[in-house]
Amino acid sequence: MKRALITGITGQDGSYLAEFLLEKGYKVYGTVRRLSTPNIENIGHLQDKVELISADLLDSSSMHQAIEESKPDEVYNLAAQSFVKTSFDQPVLTGEFTAIGVTRVLEAIRKIDKKIKFYQASSSEMFGKVVETPQKETTRFHPRSPYGVAKVYGHYITLNYRESYDMFACSGILFNHESPRRGIEFVTRKITHAVARIKLGKQQKLELGNLDAKRDWGFSGDYVEAMWLMLQQDKPDDYVIATGETHSIKEFVTLAFKEVGIDDWENYVVANNPKFLRPAEVDYLIGDSSKAKKELGWEPKTNFKQLVSMMVQADLEREKKQ
C-alpha cells in the first residue's frame, strides 16, 4: 500500500486529492494546523479514512515529525496562504507560508529520505503581467502580488532541490480551479453563495470588484488527477494544468444567476467596489496544457458551464438546509 502525505488536506484541493488517492488504494495522511476548532468541513466525510497529523509550514520540526510519522512515498504540498487579496495585507506572513514553507518541507524530505516524491502547488499567478499568450512551462514569470512572488520562490526552490540533490520534485503550474469546496472569500464561491442566498430571499445585493477580469477556470476535482500523474512519471518535471479557455467574472455572474432563473442580474450586483480591487491586477491568464496532455495523458473533464452549475446547486442545497 502506497502512502501519501498531503499538507493542506482540509482545503479544496487537499480534500479532492485525498478522495482520489483513497480510491487508488493509498494510505493517506494529512497535516492540519493546531487550532482550538480546526476547520475540517471539506474532509468531514473522510475523517475515519485519513490520518491527521498536527503540523505547520511555519515550523520545521513539526514538518520533520510529520514526515517521519507518515513515512510517505509521496508528499503533496498544497498548504499555503492562498488568497491573493490577503497577500497584499499580509505580505510577510504570505512569504513565510507560501515561499519559505516549501523549503521547510523539502529540507525535511532531504534529511529523512530523498526517495520520497514531492509535488509543489505552483500557480498561474506567477505569470502575472504576461509576456506571451497562452502561457506555458517556458513562459517568463512576472508576478503581480506578494502571493505570486512567494509562489515563484516555491517553484524555483523545488527546481533547485531537484537539480541539486537529485530528488523527485516537481511543480504543477495550476491555473484557476474551483469547486463547491472553494473558500467563501474567493470570487467564484462568493458569487455562487450570494446567488443562492438571493434566490432564497436571504440576501439583496452582491458586491464585486472588476467584472471584466478574465481567468482560465477549471474544476479542482479534475486537477488533482494531474498532480498524481506527475508523481507517476519516470522523471520529475513541471507542467501547466489549465483548460485553455478564458472567461470573465461577468460571464460567471451571468451563468450563476441564470442557473437559478434570474436574467436581470444587474439589479442585484454592485460592481467596482474599491475594497475588492487589487493594487496590481494580472493580465490575460490562459494556460497551454499541451505538454500535460502529451506526456501525462491528462485533460480536463468539466467545462465552464458545468462548473458554475455545480457550484450554484451545491450552495443552494447548503442554504436550504440552513
Side-chain angles (χ1 to χ4, degrees):
M1 180 184 283
K2 273 191 171 181
R3 300 158 76 94
L5 175 67
I6 304 170
T7 71
I9 194 170
T10 60
Q12 168 188 255
D13 293 1
S15 63
Y16 281 111
L17 179 60
E19 285 178 353
F20 180 86
L21 294 176
L22 286 167
E23 287 174 10
K24 292 284 182 186
Y26 279 65
K27 171 74 174 172
V28 177
Y29 295 81
T31 65
V32 289
R33 297 177 66 198
R34 195 185 295 279
L35 300 168
S36 55
T37 52
N39 178 15
I40 55 170
E41 180 185 353
N42 284 336
I43 58 165
H45 61 299
L46 301 175
Q47 264 194 288
D48 59 341
K49 298 175 183 175
V50 301
E51 285 202 29
L52 302 180
I53 302 172
S54 179
D56 197 315
L57 285 185
L58 298 181
D59 181 56
S60 298
S61 61
S62 71
M63 289 311 309
H64 196 281
Q65 191 174 332
I67 290 169
E68 282 200 320
E69 184 179 330
S70 57
K71 297 180 175 60
D73 299 288
E74 300 168 0
V75 172
Y76 296 86
N77 184 42
L78 309 185
Q81 190 301 99
S82 59
F83 189 44
V84 175
K85 182 72 168 61
T86 297
S87 78
F88 285 101
D89 301 327
Q90 300 179 346
V92 176
L93 184 64
T94 299
E96 284 287 347
F97 263 122
T98 309
I100 306 301
V102 186
T103 315
R104 294 187 182 105
V105 181
L106 284 164
E107 262 298 277
I109 292 172
R110 185 179 73 85
K111 290 177 178 177
I112 295 167
D113 182 2
K114 287 200 295 183
K115 293 193 293 292
I116 295 171
K117 294 183 174 182
F118 176 78
Y119 170 84
Q120 165 61 12
S122 287
S123 167
S124 60
E125 288 285 335
M126 301 189 304
F127 295 120
K129 194 173 178 65
V130 301
V131 295
E132 66 176 342
T133 302
Q135 295 86 51
K136 50 185 183 288
E137 293 79 8
T138 54
T139 303
R140 184 170 62 82
F141 300 136
H142 188 146
R144 298 268 281 169
S145 66
Y147 170 77
V149 172
K151 279 294 186 183
V152 170
Y153 175 96
H155 184 84
Y156 278 127
I157 200 68
T158 301
L159 176 63
N160 186 260
Y161 271 68
R162 180 165 85 214
E163 294 179 347
S164 301
Y165 303 115
D166 194 28
M167 290 168 59
F168 196 110
C170 59
S171 296
I173 307 172
L174 271 57
F175 279 64
N176 290 63
H177 46 291
E178 317 298 318
S179 77
R181 299 178 192 172
R182 191 51 136 161
I184 203 81
E185 70 274 18
F186 290 86
V187 68
T188 51
R189 180 74 199 291
K190 180 182 178 181
I191 292 166
T192 61
H193 178 250
V195 165
R197 289 176 59 81
I198 288 169
K199 175 64 177 177
L200 297 172
K202 295 183 177 185
Q203 186 172 327
Q204 300 302 315
K205 296 287 182 181
L206 165 60
E207 293 191 26
L208 295 169
N210 178 17
L211 292 187
D212 295 323
K214 290 186 173 183
R215 294 291 185 272
D216 183 330
W217 275 306
F219 172 49
S220 173
D222 292 344
Y223 284 33
V224 298
E225 181 188 16
M227 300 176 188
W228 175 78
L229 284 168
M230 288 179 212
L231 298 196
Q232 312 314 308
Q233 304 307 301
D234 294 331
K235 292 181 180 178
D237 206 348
D238 306 324
Y239 297 87
V240 164
I241 303 300
T243 68
E245 293 181 9
T246 188
H247 298 275
S248 68
I249 290 175
K250 185 182 286 185
E251 286 178 80
F252 199 107
V253 168
T254 305
L255 276 178
F257 275 101
K258 195 171 184 180
E259 184 69 23
V260 297
I262 298 174
D263 292 323
D264 57 342
W265 61 265
E266 292 94 342
N267 295 331
Y268 301 94
V269 175
V270 179
N272 296 310
N273 186 323
K275 73 177 181 180
F276 299 124
L277 298 174
R278 298 181 181 184
E281 183 58 85
V282 300
D283 290 333
Y284 188 66
L285 291 180
I286 180 169
D288 176 1
S289 57
S290 54
K291 179 180 174 184
K293 184 175 182 180
K294 180 183 176 184
E295 297 184 13
L296 305 179
W298 179 88
E299 49 189 317
K301 302 179 180 73
T302 310
N303 66 35
F304 180 66
K305 191 174 181 180
Q306 290 169 329
L307 175 65
V308 177
S309 174
M310 176 200 309
M311 292 179 67
V312 171
Q313 292 302 328
D315 272 322
L316 270 175
E317 287 305 309
R318 278 196 193 98
E319 288 302 315
K320 285 175 183 174
K321 285 176 183 174
Q322 293 174 4

